[in-house]
Amino acid sequence: MRLSPLALALVAFACSPPRPTADGGAVDASCGLDCVAQKTFGLIVNRCFEYSASDTTPSDPPALGVFVKPVFTLEGGVKVLPVDYRTGGQTRMTDNFAFGADGALRLMRREFPQQGQSVTFRNDAMAITGVTWLLADVGPGQTQTTSGQAFVVNQSGAGTTEPTVYRVSTTAATPTQLKTPSATYTDGLNVLTTQTPDRGADPRRVFVRELGFITITSPFNVAGGNPTPVYLQRVRDVGTPEGGNEACSTGAP
């Protein structure tokens, strides 16, 4: 079978060698996948982000817990960092993230376990290559557009493949957007996402470099909807003396 130029390019991306470090060595994966990229995007294994429904007052219990899990391998040998979004001990959504050879943050698969549904982002050759969210040198005024195939699994377990276009744009966050119960941050990015057709994409998040997402607005279902934002109130590393052993949200981490 002859692959299109786009398919060949995306396969090359999936098989590209690890991003070199400053001293010419391989990427440091001792903390998961890519320690430099994980620090940039706040994806530290066993880290728990707790969110409030208010941008001024913490929620007790948290309105949302976001937990970074250890490395997992998808089909095709694709290694990812799964990130659970939890409310009341129940996982509402799981994002499976990886990093490009250039250190960019890429979403490989989004799962909705309560509905038994998922969306996996593939290239035209059906390899899992993901969609780009944020570049390693992320800043305002950037737009990442990824065209490929979305493999959508429905509640019956049947899967369908459809062309998809995923677009992520960044602007400088306003002072109001940088206010959360945890702090009022001085610098961050407003992250706007569209997916065509929409399969549960987050319309907006606010990102702070080397911390993570201080605001998350997500429908938490494949059908989309009108989501309500939640705001960061605390960050802790589960299993450490400072972070304690309390679960992220409620329920086992």
Side-chain angles (χ1 to χ4, degrees):
M1 178 179 65
R2 177 172 293 178
L3 301 181
S4 67
L6 173 62
L8 287 171
L10 290 172
V11 168
F13 162 81
C15 301
S16 56
R19 176 168 56 91
T21 59
D23 61 4
V27 167
D28 180 5
S30 61
C31 56
L33 291 180
D34 181 330
C35 295
V36 172
Q38 287 175 243
K39 180 181 178 183
T40 296
F41 298 111
L43 293 175
I44 308 302
V45 173
N46 292 329
R47 180 154 293 177
C48 173
F49 300 84
E50 296 174 346
Y51 294 83
S52 172
S54 165
D55 65 356
T56 58
T57 307
S59 296
D60 186 16
L64 181 73
V66 176
F67 186 63
V68 184
K69 299 168 69 175
V71 171
F72 181 76
T73 304
L74 303 178
E75 60 270 24
V78 177
K79 294 185 180 299
V80 296
L81 284 170
V83 176
D84 280 354
Y85 301 79
R86 302 172 175 175
T87 302
Q90 300 297 312
T91 300
R92 303 178 65 186
M93 185 172 77
T94 300
D95 280 340
N96 294 273
F97 289 112
F99 306 102
D102 56 358
L105 178 66
R106 295 180 69 86
L107 176 64
M108 314 303 273
R109 172 179 291 163
R110 172 163 281 189
E111 303 172 69
F112 306 95
Q114 292 180 341
Q115 291 81 39
Q117 297 173 297
S118 66
V119 182
T120 302
F121 299 99
R122 302 174 180 266
N123 63 14
D124 291 341
M126 296 308 293
I128 300 175
T129 48
V131 291
T132 300
W133 270 26
L134 300 172
L135 299 180
D137 62 349
V138 58
Q142 297 177 346
T143 297
Q144 310 306 318
T145 302
T146 309
S147 299
Q149 304 293 327
F151 183 71
V152 183
V153 175
N154 61 30
Q155 290 175 317
S156 68
T160 58
T161 300
E162 60 188 21
T164 189
V165 177
Y166 205 100
R167 180 184 175 95
V168 180
S169 300
T170 59
T171 60
T174 67
T176 298
Q177 292 167 342
L178 291 169
K179 183 177 68 173
T180 75
S182 65
T184 297
Y185 299 92
T186 58
D187 186 53
L189 296 170
N190 195 39
V191 181
L192 304 175
T193 302
T194 59
Q195 182 186 356
T196 307
D198 187 10
R199 294 292 180 257
D202 302 343
R204 189 177 74 87
R205 294 190 179 204
V206 178
F207 174 74
V208 172
R209 189 180 180 89
E210 296 193 358
L211 174 62
F213 295 102
I214 63 170
T215 300
I216 295 176
T217 309
S218 178
F220 298 112
N221 67 78
V222 75
N226 297 306
T228 301
V230 292
Y231 307 91
L232 187 67
Q233 66 181 43
R234 183 167 71 148
V235 181
R236 60 190 177 90
D237 294 320
V238 176
T240 65
E242 298 80 11
N245 292 313
E246 179 186 359
C248 191
S249 180
T250 55

